[in-house]
Amino acid sequence: MPKNSKVVKRELDDEVIESVKDLLSNEDSADDAFKKSELIVDVQEEKDTDAEEGSEVEDERPAWKNKMQYILAQVGFSVGLGNVWRFPYTCQKNGGGAYLLLYLILLLVIGIPLFFLELSLGQRFRQGSIGVWNYISPKLGGIGFASCVVSFFVALYYNVIIGWSLFYFSQSFQQPLPWDQCPLVKNASYTFVEPECEKSSATTYYWYREALNISSSISENGGLNWKMTVCLLAAWVMVCLAMFKGIQSSGKIMYFSSLFPYMVLICFLIRAFLLDGSIDGIHHMFTPKLEIMLEPKIWREAATQVFFALSLGFGGVIAFSSFNKRDNNCHFDAVLVCFVNFFTSILATLVVFAVLGFKANVINEKCIAENSKMIVTFLKMGNISQDIIPHHINFSAVTAEDYHLVYDIIQKVKEEEFPALHLNSCQIEDELNKAVQGTGLAFIAFTEAMTHFPASPFWSVMFFLMLVNLGLGSMFGNTEGIITPIVDTFKVRKEIFTVIYCLVAFCIGLIFVQRSGNYFVTMFDDYSASLPLLIVVILENIAVSFVYGIDKFMEDLRDMLGFAPNRYYYYMWKYMSPLMLLSLLISSVVNMGLSPPGYNAWIEDKASEEFLSYPTWGMAVCFSLVVLAILPIPVVFIIRRCNLIDDSSGNLASVTYKRGRVLKEPVNLEGDDASLIHGKISSEMSSPNFGKNIYRKQSGSPSLDTAPNGRYGIGYLMADMPDMPDMPESDL
């Protein structure tokens, strides 16, 4: 120490804010004793309590009131509309029961480790996604910004789907349901069925013409659909009110929004089991096709489903876990939420195919009745000989078995003339193989099935209220993944920012409630999230495993959890997960390149969908969505690598001390003087751990701990120590 330096006594309650840079300027860099001294943390356990519970730590960060709220929030975020309308479709298309086994394997290899990783990061650093990645490595801080951009893009169109569900919910309080039958058109002479509806179906016509009033292409915007505009506004008002106070307001709503869908699914399952044909649907669903597991495409689709089912990369998982106490067992939470998500998908699949089995049975009965009438007509006309028809067949009340018997006989006897008869085989499997996903399942196929339910308005109300709650649960997590990191980083008022965010998002979302809005929903769903999210999660995995250091992160987990996580996670994070994610990224890029970019347009004259390619400007928008989502990653890297922006905090951290405790989180930037003293890089530094007593200790001490951010502050004596009037400088 310089000979002129003095030890200054400080009052316990005095707050001092100084810069490490200023302190370094007063030190003699050639002093060997000084070089050996370092700042250590007196490791004493301190409860991480809220301010209202009397904590001495002035940490104003809110916390979950109980563990149940937190678990429901994570379940509500991960369990969304995709569990109901995408998982059943991919399961049915990719091998049924064999796909479930494949999905479970990938859940253990990719899903749980990566979900545990995000939970741990949020809980350890108690920051949103931007703050977490800024701490891991400032050059990789763009990962957090990219997560926010992707979440914003997804929120824009995801809330539109909630608006659609609200519209159908509001229209369900009618008997009969408005989509039960085709509308009639009256003119001066006679009344006839709407031709567009007659060519398709009542539910299809209602979806495209009454609800969306859709245009024939993405280039024909057709103006705003005022009904959907009102529903979109209502959806954003609901999100704004729920998120206005952060987890204090949204946490209470989670009890209903997360639990209500399970009650509805169970009720639907019980009701569906009592309907004819439901067992056929479930049997068709879960019949394993083991040979399909050898196809690489199936593995890619299963990995993609695992990835998106857990909402990885959005930042919402990190944001929710950042409000946890540091000693929370996030490993248990990760395993619990992942398996709840998996069993929810199975439950939804059972419900969907039980209902679709019933629908297929109803349609098959109509098919048999119509074709039986045609056979009777052919018999009367002499086109088919009565001699070939078995005597026990009664066409006025023919069973499915009898019809199939007659159909096979006619097909063999009239082999050459059979195509001209236009008879249908009426196989229930053919109808089940038409299973659709997305909006086609929710607003057409499932909606049509409910029209055959007794008390159909009640079931329609329950179904669309379930969709609204599933959507809101995901929107809460999505919105929290944007608001939390922005508020943490830029210190803005959460209430004001939430209102501004929802207002801006609603205004931009008007694109999706034009008559061509459904095509933009498809565009954003295909291009704004899938590829950018994969890149984000790959960089997350690499940043923790190779930049921050997997060994150091495992030590952080040991300190935080009180036990060492299984080495299984070490090998998954360091080897398996990065390799599998990179393989998934490459296969996704190849698949995207091979698939022509386009959308299914509804052609009014044909009353059917037709695949159209995007126009030139549409291709430019698709490309822009991908670029804008990942652009923050290279931009932040270049800015911080080249020091293009002069940070007001300088290249050293400003730290506030009071009563021997850190009040303000240090800004951890690479390359500052404190880290150079000890030859440390950012990735080697400890995670922030506030509320510890700070003091200086000689390097020869048997126990050495680092400061909260891994840096060694200079020149501070422990503020909680008793008076030290005559302490010699050599002891410093």
Side-chain angles (χ1 to χ4, degrees):
M1 297 286 288
K3 295 180 180 180
N4 295 332
S5 64
K6 297 180 181 180
V7 178
V8 181
K9 292 166 52 176
R10 305 188 187 278
E11 294 297 330
L12 291 179
D13 291 329
D14 287 345
E15 179 173 340
V16 181
I17 303 176
E18 293 188 342
S19 170
V20 177
K21 185 176 182 180
D22 297 332
L23 291 166
L24 284 173
S25 64
N26 295 325
E27 302 293 347
D28 185 356
S29 59
D31 194 329
D32 292 335
F34 165 72
K35 288 180 179 180
K36 294 179 180 180
S37 66
E38 53 191 11
L39 180 67
I40 72 171
V41 179
D42 182 17
V43 183
Q44 58 178 6
E45 292 301 319
E46 190 167 351
K47 290 185 179 180
D48 188 16
T49 56
D50 296 333
E52 61 268 23
E53 296 174 349
S55 173
E56 292 184 356
V57 182
E58 294 186 10
D59 185 3
E60 296 180 357
R61 190 170 190 80
W64 298 102
K65 289 189 176 180
N66 54 64
K67 186 67 172 283
M68 178 62 73
Q69 271 191 7
Y70 167 66
I71 294 297
L72 289 178
Q74 292 287 15
V75 168
F77 182 37
S78 65
V79 175
L81 297 173
N83 295 76
V84 174
W85 68 30
R86 177 165 173 79
F87 185 89
Y89 168 78
T90 56
C91 187
Q92 181 265 345
K93 186 180 73 169
N94 296 320
Y99 177 82
L100 293 178
L101 176 61
L102 185 61
Y103 183 90
L104 182 60
I105 293 172
L106 292 173
L107 182 68
L108 296 173
V109 175
I110 294 181
I112 294 178
L114 292 177
F115 194 75
F116 180 33
L117 180 69
E118 291 203 354
L119 287 186
S120 304
L121 289 169
Q123 183 172 312
R124 181 61 173 168
F125 301 119
R126 302 204 75 194
Q127 292 283 318
S129 56
I130 296 176
V132 165
W133 301 113
N134 275 338
Y135 183 85
I136 295 292
S137 173
K139 292 176 184 176
L140 296 178
I143 297 175
F145 288 99
S147 293
C148 292
V149 174
V150 174
S151 294
F152 180 68
F153 284 158
V154 172
L156 290 177
Y157 72 86
Y158 204 88
N159 227 21
V160 175
I161 300 174
I162 298 177
W164 293 342
S165 302
L166 284 173
F167 174 76
Y168 269 79
F169 171 75
S170 66
Q171 298 297 308
S172 297
F173 296 90
Q174 304 178 44
Q175 178 66 36
L177 291 169
W179 50 83
D180 185 36
Q181 294 181 356
C182 287
L184 299 177
V185 180
K186 297 181 180 179
N187 60 17
S189 57
Y190 61 95
T191 301
F192 58 93
V193 177
E194 171 63 49
E196 186 180 0
C197 182
E198 191 174 24
K199 292 178 183 177
S200 53
S201 68
T203 50
T204 303
Y205 174 82
Y206 190 87
W207 166 242
Y208 284 115
R209 190 56 53 211
E210 297 294 335
L212 299 181
N213 192 19
I214 199 166
S215 62
S216 297
S217 73
I218 195 172
S219 301
E220 303 173 19
N221 60 60
L224 290 178
N225 181 338
W226 70 268
K227 293 180 289 188
M228 289 306 171
T229 303
V230 172
C231 292
L232 179 63
L233 177 62
W236 276 113
V237 168
M238 293 168 67
V239 172
C240 185
L241 293 176
M243 301 302 300
F244 188 71
K245 292 292 184 181
I247 62 172
Q248 285 91 343
S249 54
S250 64
K252 298 175 183 177
I253 301 175
M254 293 297 178
Y255 288 109
F256 180 77
S257 64
S258 296
L259 295 177
F260 179 75
Y262 290 96
M263 183 185 73
V264 175
L265 286 174
I266 292 172
C267 290
F268 262 100
L269 185 62
I270 295 173
R271 185 68 189 90
F273 274 138
L274 301 177
L275 299 172
D276 294 335
S278 60
I279 302 301
D280 295 328
I282 293 175
H283 181 266
H284 176 82
M285 174 71 239
F286 289 102
T287 301
K289 305 177 184 68
L290 297 177
E291 67 280 358
I292 207 169
M293 293 181 68
L294 300 176
E295 300 180 17
K297 175 186 175 184
I298 308 306
W299 286 81
R300 180 182 63 81
E301 293 199 6
T304 303
Q305 181 64 28
V306 169
F307 182 83
F308 289 107
L310 297 175
S311 302
L312 298 171
F314 284 100
V317 173
I318 294 177
F320 277 150
S321 64
S322 72
F323 300 115
N324 271 333
K325 296 184 178 182
R326 291 188 184 88
D327 60 352
N328 174 61
N329 188 350
C330 55
H331 174 256
F332 171 80
D333 300 341
V335 175
L336 176 63
V337 173
C338 288
F339 276 102
V340 167
N341 187 294
F342 176 58
F343 288 117
T344 303
S345 297
I346 294 178
L347 175 61
T349 300
L350 284 171
V351 171
V352 167
F353 273 87
V355 173
L356 291 181
F358 163 70
K359 171 178 171 283
N361 187 71
V362 171
I363 294 176
N364 199 56
E365 288 179 353
K366 291 182 178 179
C367 175
I368 290 174
E370 292 173 359
N371 283 267
S372 296
K373 291 180 180 178
M374 292 174 62
I375 293 175
V376 170
T377 302
F378 291 143
L379 289 172
K380 291 179 179 179
M381 295 174 60
N383 292 4
I384 299 176
S385 172
Q386 184 69 48
D387 297 336
I388 66 174
I389 305 299
H391 297 291
H392 69 280
I393 300 296
N394 181 11
F395 284 105
S396 61
V398 65
T399 63
E401 292 77 10
D402 289 344
Y403 172 78
H404 293 145
L405 175 62
V406 172
Y407 179 87
D408 292 338
I409 293 173
I410 296 176
Q411 188 176 26
K412 292 177 182 178
V413 174
K414 297 284 186 178
E415 184 174 356
E416 296 181 358
E417 303 173 7
F418 184 78
L421 299 178
H422 301 293
L423 292 176
N424 197 312
S425 62
C426 298
Q427 297 287 342
I428 196 169
E429 289 80 9
D430 295 339
E431 190 64 33
L432 287 170
N433 285 328
K434 297 177 183 177
V436 291
Q437 64 168 327
T439 54
L441 172 64
F443 298 106
I444 298 177
F446 211 89
T447 304
E448 181 178 350
M450 287 188 295
T451 60
H452 303 290
F453 279 26
S456 55
F458 168 78
W459 293 105
S460 182
V461 167
M462 295 287 284
F463 176 72
F464 289 110
L465 185 58
M466 178 191 72
L467 291 188
V468 170
N469 278 275
L470 284 172
L472 286 176
S474 297
M475 274 299 298
F476 293 158
N478 188 289
T479 306
E480 197 67 59
I482 299 173
I483 293 176
T484 296
I486 297 297
V487 170
D488 288 344
T489 304
F490 300 103
K491 309 303 178 187
V492 296
R493 281 283 302 276
K494 173 169 281 191
E495 295 84 355
I496 296 175
F497 179 72
T498 301
V499 173
I500 294 175
Y501 163 74
C502 292
L503 183 61
V504 171
F506 166 72
C507 293
I508 299 176
L510 293 177
I511 297 172
F512 304 100
V513 290
Q514 305 174 96
R515 290 184 58 200
S516 60
N518 186 47
Y519 307 138
F520 285 96
V521 170
T522 301
M523 176 190 291
F524 272 66
D525 189 37
D526 290 341
Y527 291 95
S528 69
S530 55
L531 205 60
L533 276 181
L534 267 174
I535 296 173
V536 165
V537 175
I538 290 171
L539 291 177
E540 286 183 359
N541 198 165
I542 293 174
V544 172
S545 299
F546 302 102
V547 180
Y548 186 77
I550 189 64
D551 294 309
K552 179 171 179 51
F553 186 65
M554 294 295 285
E555 279 299 314
D556 288 348
L557 291 178
R558 182 198 296 271
D559 294 339
M560 183 171 66
L561 301 176
F563 62 89
N566 194 289
R567 293 291 289 181
Y568 168 80
Y569 293 104
Y570 178 92
Y571 295 110
M572 289 297 104
W573 288 332
K574 191 168 185 179
Y575 303 110
M576 287 298 296
S577 295
L579 289 175
M580 295 196 72
L581 286 173
L582 285 172
S583 301
L584 179 59
L585 176 64
I586 294 171
S587 63
S588 297
V589 171
V590 171
N591 182 68
M592 188 176 292
L594 296 177
S595 302
Y599 60 100
N600 289 319
W602 179 255
I603 309 301
E604 182 176 356
D605 296 338
K606 299 179 181 178
S608 63
E609 289 185 334
E610 181 179 319
F611 183 82
L612 299 179
S613 297
Y614 287 116
T616 304
W617 64 265
M619 295 288 293
V621 173
C622 295
F623 180 75
S624 299
L625 289 174
V626 177
V627 172
L628 288 175
I630 62 177
L631 189 62
I633 298 173
V635 168
V636 172
F637 180 85
I638 294 172
I639 288 175
R640 289 181 172 164
R641 180 69 178 84
C642 302
N643 294 321
L644 298 180
I645 295 180
D646 184 19
D647 197 328
S648 60
S649 63
N651 58 357
L652 293 173
S654 293
V655 186
T656 303
Y657 290 87
K658 181 176 181 181
R659 297 175 62 87
R661 308 184 193 283
V662 182
L663 298 179
K664 182 180 179 183
E665 180 188 351
V667 180
N668 186 9
L669 297 178
E670 288 185 340
D672 68 16
D673 299 338
S675 61
L676 293 176
I677 290 175
H678 302 279
K680 285 183 173 286
I681 62 175
S682 173
S683 62
E684 295 172 338
M685 296 176 186
S686 302
S687 58
N689 197 5
F690 312 120
K692 307 291 184 183
N693 290 335
I694 312 296
Y695 62 93
R696 298 261 319 274
K697 189 168 182 179
Q698 292 296 106
S699 60
S701 172
S703 64
L704 295 176
D705 292 312
T706 60
N709 68 337
R711 308 294 177 92
Y712 296 83
I714 311 300
Y716 278 102
L717 298 177
M718 187 173 69
D720 287 347
M721 290 178 62
D723 295 345
M724 305 167 291
D726 299 315
M727 180 177 289
E729 291 180 359
S730 60
D731 291 340
L732 300 181

